[in-house]
Amino acid sequence: MSITTDQLRARAAGSLWLRLAAVALPLLMIAPALWNGYPLLQWDTGGYLARWYEGYLVPSRSTVFGLYLHYGEGFGFWINLAVQSLATLWLLQLTLRVLGLMQTFRFVAISLSLMLSTALPWLASMLLTDIFAGLSVLALFLLVVGASRTSTLEKISLFVFTAFAAATHSATLGVLLGLCAAGWMVRPFLGGRLPLAGLTQASLTIVAGGLMLVSANYALSGKLAWTPGGYGVAFGRMMQDGIVAQYLNDRCPRERYKLCPYRNALPASADEFLWGKSMFNTLGRFDGMNEEMGTIVVQSLKDYPAWQAGAALRAMGQQLLHVATGEGTNGWIPHTRGIIERYIPAQAAPMRAARQQNWGVNFDDVNWLHVPVALASMLALVALLAHALASRRLDDLTLLAVTVTLALLGNAFICGVISGPHDRYGARMVWVATFVVLTAAARRWGEDDKAR
């Protein structure tokens, strides 16, 4: 069959689009860092960077992610951003392909829309675990649902990526574990829609991620242990809700706690207590207070179950609404700056010269768009699920929408209940809802075009 001139031109144009996208999209995905002149840093970045050098475990700082950052030091951490950018684009296109919706123009349009209207490029431009939270949800979905439409190499890559993401942060591991548990519970009702092999592989990523984390902890600290800090973070949230003060008032007359003398002077926020200049420092921080905080957390759950349940539901609801981009990413990051200057002096000069370190990064303008887009995306996701339920349409896109909805709820519960509501925890996950909504809209437009 002969090929017409118009067909040749169309193929050439498509090939040009593909080449342009292959070059431009990875750079645009980390455009905030390129504009900043250095990878974006956050309050917590220094704690991860220091793990290689300090050789001991600290609360909520994954050694796995610390090692990942360490291996990028010689390249000014730009190699880390390259990995994050390429991994993001790979998972976006692979998801579209598994859904049967992959077209070059559609992929470029959706990618650009996400870059302009969500926190995604800011997350990809940052030396922090947050980019892997949302990406891991897509990877887990692809492992389960896309088993018959992905190659062996892709399955291995998805497995390794998901296990790594689980090892970077306990909240991410918790969300993935919850998704797997939900998958096993509904599988008897869905049968072949959730293949046994895919669900098993997805579940094993949690095991692999846990082993990865414990192994890294042992390699760096000599301790065969999980990353510490769970009780301290939960204690901070309970203190913020007033539960700790009530518990101390009830117990201190007959029991001796280190915090009893301070029960009427507790800080108003968990962040002020754990990271500010509070009695927590005076009493030995985590080393001196971990046992007592654990006791108070466990006992207060028993003593005030209704109060705890109400506080948890409020925190979860509030967390769903905390979605602004950029929390903790400003010019005031003294710990992270100090870690870089002490342990990686070669990076000190370019770090100091960046816009962020000179207070040139402001998220007010981007959040004018990001926040309403995020909130609208969650509402649209609910509408999408309601329409699918009404029409009894359970296709792969609906399964993805269900997966993302459960991930958002799980993330809000884990982060809101344990750490307390923060914009950072919402922003790192909600962009996936926008991706699902854009994908559904693209499919609808495609169906309308075919109908014409």
Side-chain angles (χ1 to χ4, degrees), residues 293-309:
M293 289 190 298
T295 299
I296 293 174
V297 167
V298 173
Q299 292 301 321
S300 64
L301 286 168
K302 296 177 182 177
D303 289 359
Y304 317 111
W307 190 354
Q308 293 278 15

Side-chain angles (χ1 to χ4, degrees), residues 129-450:
T129 63
D130 291 5
I131 183 62
F132 297 105
L135 292 179
S136 65
V137 173
L138 294 180
L140 193 81
F141 169 82
L142 293 170
L143 270 175
V144 177
V145 175
S148 62
R149 284 157 282 177
T150 51
S151 67
T152 300
L153 179 59
E154 287 170 335
K155 289 184 182 68
I156 293 172
S157 300
L158 287 168
F159 186 95
V160 172
F161 180 88
T162 309
F164 169 77
T168 63
H169 201 284
S170 295
T172 300
L173 186 147
V175 169
L176 297 177
L177 179 61
L179 290 175
C180 289
W184 285 111
M185 285 189 288
V186 302
R187 189 178 182 278
F189 306 100
L190 298 182
R193 299 313 309 272
L194 297 178
L196 179 62
L199 198 51
T200 301
Q201 289 173 20
S203 301
L204 287 175
T205 63
I206 311 299
V207 178
L211 291 173
M212 195 182 297
L213 181 59
V214 171
S215 299
N217 286 350
Y218 181 75
L220 289 185
S221 72
K223 294 182 179 180
L224 200 62
W226 198 260
T227 302
Y231 280 130
V233 177
F235 177 91
R237 196 274 303 167
M238 292 181 187
M239 187 205 67
Q240 191 167 281
D241 288 332
I243 295 172
V244 171
Q246 184 63 53
Y247 178 88
L248 292 174
N249 285 332
D250 291 344
R251 295 294 188 102
C252 283
R254 62 183 184 275
E255 297 183 38
R256 293 184 178 180
Y257 287 105
K258 296 177 183 178
L259 280 170
C260 283
Y262 304 95
R263 66 183 185 273
N264 295 320
L266 295 174
S269 72
D271 287 340
E272 186 181 351
F273 177 75
L274 293 172
W275 315 116
K277 296 179 180 179
S278 72
M279 66 286 297
F280 187 56
N281 296 333
T282 305
L283 297 174
R285 296 190 62 76
F286 290 99
D287 288 339
M289 287 294 296
N290 203 51
E291 184 177 350
E292 180 168 310
M293 289 190 298
T295 299
I296 293 174
V297 167
V298 173
Q299 292 301 321
S300 64
L301 286 168
K302 296 177 182 177
D303 289 359
Y304 317 111
W307 190 354
Q308 293 278 15
L313 288 175
R314 284 194 300 274
M316 180 180 176
Q318 290 168 5
Q319 181 58 74
L320 285 171
L321 300 177
H322 279 66
V323 292
T325 301
E327 183 185 25
T329 304
N330 52 39
W332 192 80
I333 47 171
H335 181 253
T336 295
R337 287 189 62 156
I339 291 297
I340 291 176
E341 290 168 351
R342 177 185 302 178
Y343 296 121
I344 321 169
Q347 292 298 313
M351 179 269 293
R352 291 194 205 104
R355 280 187 167 89
Q356 179 186 354
Q357 276 58 255
N358 292 281
W359 294 89
V361 178
N362 189 309
F363 289 94
D364 291 344
D365 291 337
V366 296
N367 279 320
W368 182 83
L369 176 62
H370 288 188
V371 171
V373 167
L375 297 176
S377 296
M378 287 191 286
L379 288 175
L381 192 63
V382 173
L384 182 64
L385 290 176
H387 179 266
L389 182 63
S391 61
R392 297 185 178 181
R393 183 175 186 173
L394 188 61
D395 55 13
D396 287 343
L397 183 55
T398 303
L399 285 176
L400 176 59
V402 171
T403 300
V404 172
T405 301
L406 291 175
L408 287 169
L409 293 173
N411 179 70
F413 179 80
I414 292 171
C415 296
V417 171
I418 295 178
S419 300
H422 286 76
D423 282 310
R424 173 193 156 197
Y425 302 146
R428 71 186 181 190
M429 189 70 73
V430 73
W431 68 265
V432 191
T434 309
F435 171 62
V436 174
V437 172
L438 289 171
T439 302
R443 184 179 70 175
R444 180 62 182 269
W445 289 331
E447 291 173 349
D448 290 345
D449 288 343
K450 288 180 181 178

Side-chain angles (χ1 to χ4, degrees), residues 30-62:
I30 56 171
L34 296 172
W35 168 80
N36 183 53
Y38 195 76
L40 292 169
L41 305 172
Q42 206 262 359
W43 288 332
D44 295 345
T45 304
Y48 294 105
L49 283 170
R51 300 290 46 82
W52 172 265
Y53 296 98
E54 294 178 347
Y56 58 85
L57 305 181
V58 298
S60 304
R61 299 293 176 263
S62 165

